[in-house]
Amino acid sequence: MSDTVSLDQALSEAHMPSLVAALVHLTGDTSLVARDNWPVYDPFGEARSGGFSEERQAEIQALAKAALEARAAGGPPPAPLTEAQVRQVMDFVAGAEIPEHYAPFLMEELQLPGHDTKTPDWSAPKLKSAAPKLPVLIVGAGMSGLLAGIRLKQAGVPFTIVEKNPEVGGTWYENQYPDCRVDNPSHLYSYSFEPNHDWPNHFSPQPVLLAYFQRVADKHGLRAHIRFETQVEECAWDDAADVWRVRVRDKAGKVETLTAKAVISAVGQLNQPRLPDIPGVGDFKGPAFHSARWRHDVGLHGKRVAVIGTGASAFQFAPQVAKEAARLTIFQRTPPWLAPTKDYHDPVTAGEKWLLEHVPYYEKWYRFWLFWMLTDGVYEAVKSDPAWNGSPDAVSPANAMLRDGLAFMISQQAQDRPDLLPHLVPAYPFGGKRALRDDGVWIAALKRDNVELVTDPITRITETGIDTKDGTHRDFDAIIYGTGFTASQFLRTFKVKGRGGRELHDQWAGDARAYLAVTT
């Protein structure tokens, strides 16, 4: 063990179902995952224990300690698990029978063979000879663009990545507002073939995430393939030559046309800020900026600050602004659903890091559990039931039950502020919009003496502040837009022309004035 953590301490900090799954690999004992031993997860409580009693947790820890000590002593390893046994463990970790049609995908995601099962196999003679003749152009060096580059390099396919920024990272380079962090668990929000056992937080902040993608780019030698500070202006298919002609402009204004047999758009969703459709946008005389274009040169200490929007970004930065602003006014159109996440700002303990690094298969099953519980594991609770004839703020009995539990937890946080409560519980079904991670920080910020939550619609932004429908005018020193992105307009920054010159997308879709306001 390390100098900072003992084996007993590390095991006591384990996610127990994942530890049991690792034990099956270490011992070959599948009775550990028998149906009557399955975990029971509380969606509103802590997940580490899996619902096991303290006595059962102690038994699991003792078994794991013995198995790890036997392994360290050089005992014979058990036979690898069969596919049927792996399926048993999957159901156990999920705490439910996983539909069979998910199995092939989940098997691939687990990567139990110990190597990257998604590495492209282009060893066949025809593919091998064709690879050099298939130059590819990738637009964007964020997490998707980097992944595309890695796979193409593994396949022997020549490629170029065009990136408008001076660095890799995409959204994690561009979004640098206070407390910017991922709202998926760090141990899931990473490439399956590049796990990071040293994440400092369960939900890591932006600088840490950016550093991760920079390390991956360096490790896989991608920088030599990237043209930084270069903007794609147009992609046009040349029927006669059977190639894409891609017009790009570098930071010096030099225009060049590149050719490729294929173009991969990895431009992402969270990098083109969206300003609200409110009269007067651009009229305010003080500093006004979008969260994705954070003005670090604008001091907010002691200022009257307006935040428009209560989506994922505002949910993170507004509580930080509240700590330094003299007065913070948050304008909310629709409240978000809050998903209980006690460890949202918590560090990963030394024991947890040790388990992920040293216990065979633990990291794989822990990642699997995170993946399942955050994706199709909650599907039944958000799936619409055609026979549902209950309240319109739910879509099924399961959805209504989840809604009631979440609404209760929200109300518990606002017991001392009955004036806030009507504005905190959404009137739409859970799952209808992106839910946000809740560890109490958001509602605690709204309850501060220097914070006001305004739900009356904004009618105009003026030179000095903001007017609302009730006739109130409020003056501000700064306005911050937390109004999201043009997430559904993937290619709004360049034109694409397909066969026959047919234009597939307009470069300037949307309000040009709003676009210029957030890019200059």
Side-chain angles (χ1 to χ4, degrees):
M1 289 301 297
S2 72
D3 296 333
T4 58
V5 62
S6 68
L7 178 57
D8 289 333
Q9 178 187 338
L11 292 173
S12 72
E13 296 172 358
H15 176 250
M16 290 297 151
S18 298
L19 185 59
V20 172
L23 260 174
V24 176
H25 288 276
L26 290 170
T27 65
D29 184 1
T30 56
S31 69
L32 292 167
V33 295
R35 180 66 180 85
D36 55 355
N37 289 331
W38 280 10
V40 177
Y41 297 111
D42 178 1
F44 307 111
E46 64 87 27
R48 185 197 63 80
S49 70
F52 297 139
S53 67
E54 291 186 4
E55 292 77 14
R56 178 58 179 154
Q57 292 181 63
E59 291 174 5
I60 293 168
Q61 292 168 43
L63 288 170
K65 184 176 182 179
L68 290 169
E69 288 176 342
R71 181 174 182 272
L81 299 186
T82 66
E83 185 171 326
Q85 289 172 324
V86 172
R87 284 290 289 115
Q88 275 185 275
V89 182
M90 280 185 180
D91 290 347
F92 169 83
V93 174
E97 292 185 6
I98 294 175
E100 194 58 36
H101 63 269
Y102 285 111
F105 170 65
L106 294 175
M107 286 286 189
E108 184 180 71
E109 189 68 23
L110 266 171
Q111 297 198 23
L112 289 179
H115 63 272
D116 183 3
T117 58
K118 299 177 183 177
T119 300
D121 180 11
W122 281 38
S123 57
K126 285 186 177 180
L127 291 175
K128 200 169 184 179
S129 62
K133 304 171 186 176
L134 185 66
V136 176
L137 186 138
I138 303 166
V139 186
M143 62 187 305
S144 297
L146 295 178
L147 177 58
I150 290 169
R151 295 310 190 195
L152 290 172
K153 189 174 184 182
Q154 290 170 337
V157 175
F159 65 96
T160 299
I161 302 176
V162 177
E163 170 55 52
K164 69 180 186 300
N165 292 318
E167 184 52 273
V168 302
T171 191
W172 299 114
Y173 174 83
E174 298 193 8
N175 287 270
Q176 300 181 13
Y177 55 79
D179 201 37
C180 177
R181 66 180 58 231
V182 69
D183 60 4
N184 280 322
S186 301
H187 298 95
L188 176 62
Y189 195 85
S190 53
Y191 300 122
S192 58
F193 57 91
E194 289 291 353
N196 180 13
H197 299 150
D198 199 37
W199 290 114
N201 294 86
H202 289 283
F203 296 84
S204 291
Q206 174 266 334
V208 175
L209 293 160
L210 176 59
Y212 170 81
F213 291 111
Q214 290 171 330
R215 289 197 304 273
V216 169
D218 292 338
K219 177 179 178 179
H220 290 271
L222 296 182
R223 291 185 184 274
H225 299 265
I226 304 174
R227 297 182 59 152
F228 288 109
E229 296 183 284
T230 301
Q231 179 77 49
V232 173
E233 295 187 333
E234 182 181 88
C235 292
W237 178 254
D238 186 330
D239 286 311
D242 198 31
V243 295
W244 285 98
R245 300 199 182 279
V246 184
R247 189 175 73 235
V248 301
R249 184 184 298 272
D250 68 16
K251 65 178 180 179
K254 179 185 175 182
V255 176
E256 184 179 354
T257 298
L258 310 177
T259 60
K261 281 289 188 179
V263 174
I264 298 175
S265 172
V267 296
Q269 292 179 290
L270 307 181
N271 59 65
Q272 294 301 316
R274 178 185 178 277
L275 291 185
D277 184 17
I278 297 173
V281 169
D283 290 348
F284 183 67
K285 295 300 184 182
F289 53 91
H290 192 280
S291 61
R293 301 291 184 266
W294 195 269
R295 291 278 303 276
H296 294 282
D297 62 318
V298 176
L300 301 177
H301 182 75
K303 300 295 180 62
R304 299 165 299 173
V305 181
V307 168
I308 300 177
T310 54
S313 298
F315 199 78
Q316 294 175 340
F317 73 74
Q320 304 305 312
V321 173
K323 295 176 183 178
E324 57 177 315
R327 185 74 183 168
L328 172 63
T329 304
I330 300 174
F331 292 87
Q332 173 180 279
R333 184 177 60 179
T334 308
W337 275 113
L338 309 184
T341 310
K342 293 181 179 180
D343 60 353
Y344 186 50
H345 286 91
D346 288 353
V348 180
T349 68
E352 290 172 309
K353 291 180 181 179
W354 188 91
L355 292 165
L356 291 162
E357 181 68 24
H358 296 287
V359 177
Y361 299 101
Y362 176 82
E363 175 265 333
K364 293 182 180 297
W365 285 109
Y366 181 61
R367 179 185 171 94
F368 170 84
W369 173 73
L370 291 173
F371 178 85
W372 180 255
M373 298 306 288
L374 287 175
T375 53
D376 290 271
V378 297
Y379 178 59
E380 292 302 319
V382 297
K383 183 174 68 173
S384 178
D385 181 356
W388 174 251
N389 59 3
S391 170
D393 56 18
V395 294
S396 70
N399 189 251
M401 185 180 298
L402 181 58
R403 174 195 170 81
D404 289 345
L406 293 173
F408 175 75
M409 297 198 73
I410 292 171
S411 67
Q412 289 295 100
Q413 296 183 58
Q415 288 185 77
D416 55 341
R417 286 292 302 274
D419 59 310
L420 275 178
L421 187 56
H423 308 298
L424 298 178
V425 179
Y428 57 86
F430 178 82
K433 292 185 179 182
R434 179 178 179 178
L436 304 181
R437 297 287 182 178
D438 176 37
D439 61 353
V441 171
W442 174 251
I443 293 179
L446 297 182
K447 289 158 59 173
R448 291 176 62 108
D449 292 339
N450 67 327
V451 175
E452 177 188 15
L453 180 67
V454 176
T455 58
D456 207 53
I458 297 173
T459 56
R460 175 169 292 276
I461 297 174
T462 72
E463 292 185 359
T464 62
I466 295 174
D467 294 338
T468 48
K469 191 175 181 180
D470 62 359
T472 302
H473 174 82
R474 295 172 176 84
D475 285 328
F476 295 105
D477 299 309
I479 296 176
I480 305 173
Y481 294 100
T483 47
F485 303 86
T486 56
S488 59
Q489 297 177 352
F490 290 93
L491 304 181
R492 75 185 301 265
T493 59
F494 61 92
K495 293 181 180 179
V496 180
K497 295 181 179 179
R499 295 188 181 279
R502 184 169 62 91
E503 191 163 304
L504 304 180
H505 195 278
D506 182 359
Q507 176 184 5
W508 303 113
D511 187 310
R513 181 181 179 187
Y515 180 80
L516 291 172
V518 296
T519 55
T520 57

